[in-house]
Amino acid sequence: MIDAVLFVTPEYNRSVPAVLKNALDIGSRPYGQSVWDKKPAAIVTASPGGISGFGANHHLRQSLVCLNIPTLQQPEAYIGHVNSLIDENEKSQMKEL
Ligand SMILES: Cc1cc2nc3c(=O)[nH]c(=O)nc-3n(C[C@H](O)[C@H](O)[C@H](O)COP(=O)(O)O)c2cc1C
C-alpha cells in the first residue's frame, strides 16, 4: 500500500509527458476504484531551461484536482538548468557553498 506519491517530471510542450498522463488515466479507472483517490502528493519539475517546468508543474495540478489527490502547495519545487547540475554520468556538478 502506497502512502503518498512524489511526482518528479520533465516538461513536454508546457505539459506533462504522455506516459505520466497515461499512468494517471489508467490508475483512475474503473470509475469509483481509482488508485489515486485521497493519496497525498507533491510535485517536482526539472528542465534544462530557465522556466524550470513551470507549465508541467501547474498542468499536472489540474489533473490532480480531478483525481482528488491532495497536493502540497508550499514549498513549490522547480529545478531549472538541470543539465548544468549533473554530468553525463549523473554525477552532481553542484558547487559546495
Ligand atoms: C517532445 C518534447 C517536448 C519538450 N518540451 C519542453 C518544454 O515545454 N519545456 C521544457 O523545459 N523542456 C521541454 N523539453 C525538453 C525536456 O525537458 C528534456 O528533453 C528532458 O530531458 C526530457 O527528459 P526525458 O528525455 O527523460 O523525457 C521537451 C522535450 C521533448 C522530447
Side-chain angles (χ1 to χ4, degrees), residues 10-15 17 46-49 52-53 83:
E11 177 176 85
Y12 278 12
N13 295 318
R14 297 290 181 262
S15 186
S47 165
S52 313
N83 293 15

Side-chain angles (χ1 to χ4, degrees), residues 28-29 34 36-37 60-69:
S28 72
R29 290 294 186 273
S34 171
W36 305 112
D37 190 47
L60 178 56
R61 288 173 191 276
Q62 181 175 329
S63 294
L64 301 195
V65 169
C66 176
L67 294 169
N68 198 27
I69 298 178

